[in-house]
Amino acid sequence: MKKNKTTRSQIARRWLLGWTLFIGIGAVAGATGMISDPSGKAMGMDGMLPYFRVLPFADVLFENFIFSGFALLIVNGLTNLTAAAMILLKKKIGVVLGGIFGVTLMLWICIQFVIFPLNFMSTSYFVFGLCQAITGYIAWVFEKQEEFSVDLAYYPNIGTNRTRLVVFFSRMGYVKKQAYETANRTGAHILEIKSAERTEGTLGFWWCGRFAMHRWDMPIAPIEVDLSEYEHVTICTPIWVFSLASPVRTFCRQASGKIRSADYILVHHTKGAYKTVSEEMDNLLGIHHTESTGIQCKMGVFQKSEAH
């Protein structure tokens, strides 16, 4: 039986679980030591009490480590262990809490930066909190991306108009959704550009970025349709590093002289018009587009940005 592939969000959640357990257990252990020995002598912390004098209510709250122990337990101990439990239970809130509590730890350490001389322990835990917050954000983004899907059952009109074709390349599925919606609206047939390079996942993201930065073509599977049979073609492409996606560049180069009329749908993260991308596609195809529509997309949420 084929094993299910571990997803990026699952890997990120495991790292986040490690951070929450590490910080949570460490905070509980430290709080227990402070509360059981308020003088701090057992943990070699008694010399730190004078530094608390800069804080408000020092004469009441910081004569010993009892208040500090309970504060540590609540702010960094129980909170992180709660987040860890939510992550283990596969609750979405666990990822959010894990990231938030990383920020909480950094704020806690910022207070220590104010009252204590610069030291290795405080600096290390600030870095730990930063790593935890970043891991939480990454896990949240990966989950959002993996939740996105395109249900072909919602597009029954695709392929009913023999004169139109929609061509697309999609790495994450966002451009695919726009392509299928366009094809369903116009009745067009669908042609997916398939890359011969690795484009999936995190490694694929960086590999595609390398091609995009150099404005390289990317090898694609052979085009198995006669493009000249269609009166109009809609080309849907993502924007890579502010330029045309490499597989679509290759397609346009190979389709030169075969497409009579075309419009473009450019899917990107920003609000730019990307007129240079439309111009490049025109030059590669040897035509002038009828329309170019920019669509801003943030993790599956679309907003039309500009048409020209």
Side-chain angles (χ1 to χ4, degrees), residues 120-162:
F120 176 78
M121 184 67 72
S122 295
T123 304
S124 297
Y125 271 85
F126 184 87
V127 174
F128 295 157
L130 178 62
C131 291
Q132 181 179 341
I134 292 173
T135 305
Y137 177 73
I138 291 173
W140 178 76
V141 170
F142 285 169
E143 284 190 350
K144 285 284 188 181
Q145 291 175 341
E146 291 168 10
E147 287 173 356
F148 184 84
S149 63
V150 180
D151 189 346
L152 305 187
Y154 289 110
Y155 309 105
N157 198 43
I158 291 177
T160 58
N161 184 349
R162 296 183 179 181

Side-chain angles (χ1 to χ4, degrees), residues 16-276:
L16 184 59
L17 175 63
W19 283 119
T20 55
L21 288 174
F22 172 70
I23 301 300
I25 293 173
V28 170
T32 302
M34 292 179 184
I35 295 169
S36 61
D37 179 21
S39 69
K41 292 182 179 179
M43 299 177 65
M45 297 173 58
D46 51 313
M48 300 172 65
L49 279 175
Y51 291 105
F52 286 93
R53 293 297 177 184
V54 299
L55 296 176
F57 309 107
D59 293 338
V60 178
L61 301 177
F62 301 110
E63 288 293 323
N64 54 45
F65 283 100
I66 292 179
F67 177 80
S68 298
F70 279 108
L72 178 62
L73 177 66
I74 295 170
V75 175
N76 291 316
L78 298 180
T79 51
N80 275 283
L81 293 181
T82 299
M86 293 296 101
I87 294 172
L88 286 171
L89 293 173
K90 299 184 179 353
K91 301 293 185 180
K92 292 183 179 180
I93 191 64
V95 169
V96 176
L97 292 176
I100 290 175
F101 296 148
V103 175
T104 303
L105 175 58
M106 287 191 289
L107 294 175
W108 176 276
I109 297 300
C110 284
I111 297 174
Q112 294 189 12
F113 286 152
V114 172
I115 63 178
F116 299 138
L118 189 64
N119 61 87
F120 176 78
M121 184 67 72
S122 295
T123 304
S124 297
Y125 271 85
F126 184 87
V127 174
F128 295 157
L130 178 62
C131 291
Q132 181 179 341
I134 292 173
T135 305
Y137 177 73
I138 291 173
W140 178 76
V141 170
F142 285 169
E143 284 190 350
K144 285 284 188 181
Q145 291 175 341
E146 291 168 10
E147 287 173 356
F148 184 84
S149 63
V150 180
D151 189 346
L152 305 187
Y154 289 110
Y155 309 105
N157 198 43
I158 291 177
T160 58
N161 184 349
R162 296 183 179 181
T163 66
R164 297 184 67 100
L165 176 69
V166 173
V167 180
F168 76 94
F169 173 81
S170 185
R171 197 181 73 87
M172 300 296 299
Y174 303 142
V175 181
K176 180 177 181 178
K177 182 176 179 63
Q178 291 300 315
Y180 272 74
E181 288 185 352
T182 301
N184 190 62
R185 185 175 64 253
T186 61
H189 289 253
I190 285 281
L191 172 63
E192 180 178 3
I193 302 170
K194 296 183 178 180
S195 172
E197 298 281 343
R198 177 174 181 175
T199 60
E200 300 83 9
T202 303
L203 291 178
F205 169 81
W206 294 110
W207 190 243
C208 292
R210 176 172 177 265
F211 274 79
M213 288 180 63
H214 292 282
R215 305 298 192 265
W216 291 340
D217 287 10
M218 181 176 283
I220 62 174
I223 302 172
E224 297 180 347
V225 300
D226 186 355
L227 298 173
S228 63
E229 290 184 354
Y230 298 94
E231 294 180 5
H232 187 83
V233 177
T234 299
I235 302 177
C236 304
T237 178
I239 299 297
W240 287 0
V241 195
F242 308 105
S243 66
L244 179 63
S246 296
V248 182
R249 179 180 290 112
T250 303
F251 168 83
C252 290
R253 199 181 302 280
Q254 294 181 7
S256 178
K258 300 176 183 178
I259 294 177
R260 288 175 276 175
S261 174
D263 69 295
Y264 311 139
I265 295 178
L266 314 178
V267 181
H268 44 80
H269 189 72
T270 67
K271 294 183 178 181
Y274 295 101
K275 293 182 180 180
T276 56

